[in-house]
Amino acid sequence: MRKTRYAAAAMAAAAALTLSACGGDSGSDSAASGDGENIRIGIKFDQPGLGFAESGDYSGFDVDVAKYVANELGYSEDQIEFIETPSAQRENMLENDQVDMIFATYSITDTRKEKVSFAGPYFVAGQDLLVRSDSDITGPEDLNGKTLCSVTGSTSAQKVKDGIANDVNLVEQPSYAECVTAMQGGSIDAVTTDDIILAGLASTDANKGQFKVVGNTFSEEKYGVGIQKGSDKCEDINAAIEKMIEDGAWEEAIKKNTEGADYTFNAELNPPTMDACA
């Protein structure tokens, strides 16, 4: 009898270990269920006011929204692992299961939706230009014969060339900060991306007084939360964003992260309405 009881106990222990091993190999599905695992969130590390990393600290509007959403999904702040997600790598990082969600000024487009899914939007930006403070450029129509910079993987500059200024010269850099450095050196005339990104760049201590946001937006860019194709988390993420808007934390985060940049979000576009989940 004693041997039988020992054998039964051993079998039960082995079964428990087997179940534990199976549960520990659940990949991104477990990481998106708030069950004690960490959640991996992709952000930019080089966009002041949106996604910025310095000495292990993460700040910006994207970061604040990501933290709020993660908390609503059941994760404490110490369960969040922020991962640098450059523009050119966003789809690949989701497809390769390197991140669970992306909050990285990730515009929702039909082309991108062929590879990934989106929740949101959590903000609607407008494309604009950043120029030197003494520049006479007042809008994209002034860019013919000029040099325009954007980051690798972004669609912003190509939109200008295709639809507004066909003779503009395009230059790509790995980051917007490097575009600004090139403009400081005189090799480019303008940087283009969304107005809130440019406001963040212009408001840093190093750039104050040197540059200005033209303030003549010419597009609408819906910032979505990038998730893996077919993810079942879209509805939960949308509910979290709507709660953030309703309780005032959303607007508070915008004001905090654009302070000193003379920036006001477009009230006709924001707060945004959530798109239907595919």
Side-chain angles (χ1 to χ4, degrees), residues 7-22:
M11 290 175 66
L17 286 171
T18 301
L19 288 172
S20 175
C22 291

Side-chain angles (χ1 to χ4, degrees), residues 8-140:
M11 290 175 66
L17 286 171
T18 301
L19 288 172
S20 175
C22 291
D25 191 33
S26 57
S28 62
D29 288 340
S30 67
S33 60
D35 61 358
E37 300 284 342
N38 286 348
I39 187 166
R40 304 160 302 168
I41 300 180
I43 61 169
K44 298 290 184 66
F45 278 16
D46 60 359
Q47 287 185 348
L50 286 147
F52 192 72
E54 186 174 26
S55 301
D57 292 326
Y58 306 97
S59 63
F61 177 64
D62 285 352
V63 172
D64 288 343
V65 178
K67 288 178 178 178
Y68 192 103
V69 170
N71 181 258
E72 290 298 305
L73 294 180
Y75 297 94
S76 61
E77 191 167 324
D78 62 5
Q79 289 178 285
I80 299 173
E81 179 185 359
F82 285 115
I83 297 174
E84 185 174 17
T85 310
S87 294
Q89 298 178 25
R90 289 177 295 204
E91 286 86 40
N92 287 339
M93 292 183 74
L94 283 169
E95 289 182 307
N96 295 331
D97 193 27
Q98 294 173 267
V99 293
D100 300 304
M101 301 189 293
I102 293 178
F103 293 77
T105 60
Y106 200 3
S107 296
I108 301 171
T109 69
D110 289 339
T111 299
R112 288 170 176 163
K113 284 195 286 188
E114 293 176 2
K115 295 184 175 182
V116 302
S117 293
F118 287 96
Y122 61 90
F123 189 80
V124 183
Q127 189 175 344
D128 211 324
L129 303 174
L130 184 70
V131 298
R132 287 182 290 273
S133 57
D134 60 352
S135 173
D136 57 0
I137 295 172
T138 61

Side-chain angles (χ1 to χ4, degrees), residues 4-275:
T4 302
R5 286 198 300 270
Y6 288 164
M11 290 175 66
L17 286 171
T18 301
L19 288 172
S20 175
C22 291
D25 191 33
S26 57
S28 62
D29 288 340
S30 67
S33 60
D35 61 358
E37 300 284 342
N38 286 348
I39 187 166
R40 304 160 302 168
I41 300 180
I43 61 169
K44 298 290 184 66
F45 278 16
D46 60 359
Q47 287 185 348
L50 286 147
F52 192 72
E54 186 174 26
S55 301
D57 292 326
Y58 306 97
S59 63
F61 177 64
D62 285 352
V63 172
D64 288 343
V65 178
K67 288 178 178 178
Y68 192 103
V69 170
N71 181 258
E72 290 298 305
L73 294 180
Y75 297 94
S76 61
E77 191 167 324
D78 62 5
Q79 289 178 285
I80 299 173
E81 179 185 359
F82 285 115
I83 297 174
E84 185 174 17
T85 310
S87 294
Q89 298 178 25
R90 289 177 295 204
E91 286 86 40
N92 287 339
M93 292 183 74
L94 283 169
E95 289 182 307
N96 295 331
D97 193 27
Q98 294 173 267
V99 293
D100 300 304
M101 301 189 293
I102 293 178
F103 293 77
T105 60
Y106 200 3
S107 296
I108 301 171
T109 69
D110 289 339
T111 299
R112 288 170 176 163
K113 284 195 286 188
E114 293 176 2
K115 295 184 175 182
V116 302
S117 293
F118 287 96
Y122 61 90
F123 189 80
V124 183
Q127 189 175 344
D128 211 324
L129 303 174
L130 184 70
V131 298
R132 287 182 290 273
S133 57
D134 60 352
S135 173
D136 57 0
I137 295 172
T138 61
E141 63 279 354
D142 296 330
L143 291 173
N144 281 311
K146 307 288 188 181
T147 302
L148 177 65
C149 188
S150 67
V151 301
T152 305
S154 171
T155 59
S156 300
Q158 194 63 48
K159 286 181 180 178
V160 174
K161 187 174 181 67
D162 290 343
I164 304 173
N166 301 113
D167 293 331
V168 66
N169 301 308
L170 303 184
V171 172
E172 291 186 343
Q173 294 288 350
S175 71
Y176 292 111
E178 287 169 272
C179 281
V180 171
T181 298
M183 189 159 56
Q184 284 175 322
S187 61
I188 66 167
D189 301 293
V191 181
T192 189
T193 187
D194 303 335
D195 52 354
I196 192 171
I197 297 175
L198 298 174
L201 288 167
S203 68
T204 64
D205 291 339
N207 294 334
K208 281 181 181 177
Q210 296 187 61
F211 307 103
K212 62 183 179 182
V213 180
V214 169
N216 183 9
T217 58
F218 48 95
S219 76
E220 291 182 13
E221 306 291 335
K222 292 182 176 183
Y223 288 174
V225 183
I227 50 181
Q228 292 176 354
K229 192 75 171 176
S231 170
D232 62 356
K233 297 304 173 185
C234 177
E235 296 286 358
D236 291 340
I237 295 170
N238 282 356
I241 295 169
E242 288 175 333
K243 182 178 179 181
M244 186 179 187
I245 291 169
E246 290 168 3
D247 69 17
W250 179 87
E251 186 168 353
E252 182 181 336
I254 292 176
K255 290 179 179 178
K256 180 186 75 173
N257 289 296
T258 60
E259 186 176 2
D262 192 24
Y263 170 78
T264 303
F265 66 81
N266 188 331
E268 294 181 1
L269 304 176
N270 291 289
T273 300
M274 301 300 102
D275 289 347

